[in-house]
Amino acid sequence: MSCSCFNVILSTRKKGHSFGENSEGISKHIRFFSYKDLRLATDNFHASNEIGRGGYGTVYKGILKDGTQVAMKALSAESRQGINEFLTEIHTISNVRHPNLVELIGCCIEGVNRILVYEFAENSSLDQALLGPQSGRATLDWKRRSAICVGTARGLAFLHEEIKPHIVHRDIKASNILLSQNFTPKIGDFGMAKLFQDNITHISTRIAGTIGYLAPEYARLGQLTKKADVYSFGVLVLEIVSGRSNAGRICLISGKPLLEWTWQLYGEGRLHELVDSDLGEYPEDEVLRYIKVALFCTQASAQRRPSMIQVVDMLSKRIRLNEKQLTPPSFIQDFMDIGGGSTATKSSGSQTSGVSSSTSSNPVSSFQIFPR
């Protein structure tokens, strides 16, 4: 199912600005900036202010006239496909507010320019802080890493369960987790998000996301559910604990991707070998529990994965996991045939946006947790 507002073109909200034909659904909190103002804020989009680059454009640091630091995501003028993601992002999060979601401040749609203006994350993204060049990495002790895991889980639980229609992000990965000044995690980049009504079980849709984080049922069949985000989150937790990446074709010890290696270590009772050597002292029981939670999240069967609300409890409370219910994950090589590179964009075989109209949106899961 695809929300009709995804294709709405923004209307004029301020004299002198051209925003199209219709602005229905855009929050009153969203400010509309002129291109001139944003050009001044970034010193004419100078290269020294560039802080990121993605498939649809470039991200710049800017300072508004009132002194507010912001991040500006400028869509490439050549990216026609990116306009849909641009509009999706505005409509998806313009009315959403949560401590663990990046706040959209405003946008600019003027001539060929398409720019989103976000709150600025002082500590950049998690992939740079954790997985980037050594010189650019932050000091992430276990207290910070566990807080990033729990905060990201809470942000996803909010998207999945607390707002309506529910939101499935579709691209949870380290580069889309931004870190504030005090390292609070904030989920960003909603350009590929999808909305879910209560009465549907899955959406058949174009495959989009990053290989290494893609849930197997989504990568193979284009069947999207909330559990696809749960799978991606599980991979993310493993990256946070290990300080290693599972994305692309990067291989680790014994030539295995991170998730497969983790499952091998689990079977051999050697999970402690996964923990990042740069972590220093850490509470072993808690860290091993986080790894096991990640394995519950990445089980091959979507129905066996926990919900994000369960995941929050599993991470934030001292509980005993029912490991007898844990089944193997699906590994990256199982679905690498969907295409090369780091981003999957292959369409599902049906080439439709059909919706399963089953009345149950929460299929029975064999997953259980037991209070300690």
Side-chain angles (χ1 to χ4, degrees):
M1 173 180 159
S2 179
C3 180
S4 61
C5 68
F6 288 179
N7 297 317
V8 172
I9 305 299
L10 302 179
S11 72
T12 300
R13 289 281 296 271
K14 186 175 180 182
K15 186 176 180 180
H17 292 228
S18 175
F19 298 113
E21 299 173 355
N22 195 334
S23 63
E24 183 180 355
I26 300 298
S27 170
K28 293 180 180 179
H29 299 293
I30 300 302
R31 295 170 58 184
F32 288 87
F33 294 92
S34 71
Y35 182 70
K36 179 181 178 181
D37 287 342
L38 299 187
R39 187 162 53 86
L40 290 173
T42 57
D43 191 18
N44 199 24
F45 298 97
H46 195 275
S48 62
N49 287 317
E50 183 178 322
I51 56 177
R53 186 178 292 270
Y56 298 122
T58 306
V59 181
Y60 297 90
K61 176 182 178 181
I63 301 178
L64 302 178
K65 290 179 180 179
D66 62 3
T68 303
Q69 290 189 91
V70 294
M72 302 180 192
K73 184 167 138 184
L75 180 69
S76 169
E78 292 78 28
S79 179
R80 296 187 62 184
Q81 181 185 16
I83 293 176
N84 291 329
E85 281 74 12
F86 177 89
L87 295 173
T88 295
E89 192 150 1
I90 294 176
H91 284 285
T92 302
I93 66 171
S94 63
N95 292 290
V96 176
R97 294 291 184 274
H98 187 275
N100 298 116
L101 303 179
V102 173
E103 181 179 348
L104 177 64
I105 296 173
C107 65
C108 169
I109 303 181
E110 189 175 313
V112 298
N113 300 297
R114 305 287 186 271
I115 303 172
L116 293 171
V117 181
Y118 284 99
E119 64 174 312
F120 182 70
E122 290 84 353
N123 282 301
S124 190
S125 60
L126 178 59
D127 71 324
Q128 292 186 31
L130 180 69
L131 306 172
Q134 196 70 39
S135 59
R137 295 185 186 181
T139 301
L140 297 178
D141 58 14
W142 177 245
K143 182 178 180 180
R144 282 180 174 171
R145 296 192 197 202
S146 62
I148 291 170
C149 291
V150 173
T152 304
R154 285 177 174 152
L156 276 174
F158 176 80
L159 292 174
H160 287 186
E161 306 297 340
E162 296 184 42
I163 61 173
K164 294 185 179 181
H166 307 309
I167 297 175
V168 176
H169 187 280
R170 284 211 297 174
D171 201 20
I172 294 298
K173 58 183 178 180
S175 61
N176 286 338
I177 307 301
L178 305 184
L179 303 175
S180 71
Q181 187 173 19
N182 62 356
F183 289 92
T184 297
K186 293 178 178 288
I187 301 170
D189 201 343
F190 286 76
M192 292 189 294
K194 290 286 185 182
L195 307 188
F196 271 68
Q197 303 295 337
D198 280 332
N199 63 341
I200 66 172
T201 58
H202 73 273
I203 292 172
S204 295
T205 184
R206 173 178 66 92
I207 299 170
T210 303
I211 292 175
Y213 297 90
L214 285 172
E217 73 283 354
Y218 180 44
R220 291 190 185 113
L221 305 173
Q223 292 186 351
L224 178 67
T225 70
K226 299 172 188 176
K227 298 301 181 71
D229 279 353
V230 176
Y231 182 97
S232 301
F233 175 79
V235 173
L236 181 69
V237 171
L238 295 181
E239 293 183 329
I240 292 171
V241 171
S242 68
R244 301 172 185 262
S245 174
N246 192 60
R249 299 177 182 271
I250 297 176
C251 291
L252 303 175
I253 295 176
S254 301
K256 293 181 171 64
L258 177 60
L259 179 55
E260 184 177 357
W261 184 44
T262 301
W263 182 251
Q264 177 183 322
L265 293 177
Y266 174 74
E268 296 172 354
R270 300 188 293 130
L271 277 182
H272 62 278
E273 295 182 22
L274 180 73
V275 182
D276 189 352
S277 59
D278 292 336
L279 194 54
E281 294 185 1
Y282 60 88
E284 183 173 348
D285 288 347
E286 182 172 292
V287 173
L288 295 184
R289 174 161 53 86
Y290 274 51
I291 298 173
K292 293 173 184 177
V293 170
L295 290 174
F296 273 106
C297 290
T298 52
Q299 293 178 102
S301 171
Q303 290 188 332
R304 300 188 70 89
R305 298 171 207 150
S307 69
M308 285 310 305
I309 289 178
Q310 288 178 306
V311 171
V312 171
D313 285 341
M314 294 160 70
L315 293 177
S316 59
K317 298 178 181 178
R318 298 185 64 184
I319 59 176
R320 178 170 56 89
L321 303 177
N322 183 12
E323 295 180 48
K324 292 181 180 180
Q325 296 289 337
L326 183 59
T327 57
S330 181
F331 302 129
I332 185 172
Q333 64 266 30
D334 293 341
F335 50 93
M336 283 296 287
D337 61 347
I338 65 174
S342 61
T343 300
T345 57
K346 182 179 179 181
S347 299
S348 59
S350 63
Q351 298 290 327
T352 69
S353 296
V355 178
S356 169
S357 57
S358 168
T359 56
S360 172
S361 60
N362 295 302
V364 176
S365 172
S366 60
F367 171 83
Q368 299 176 26
I369 57 177
F370 296 109
R372 187 177 294 250

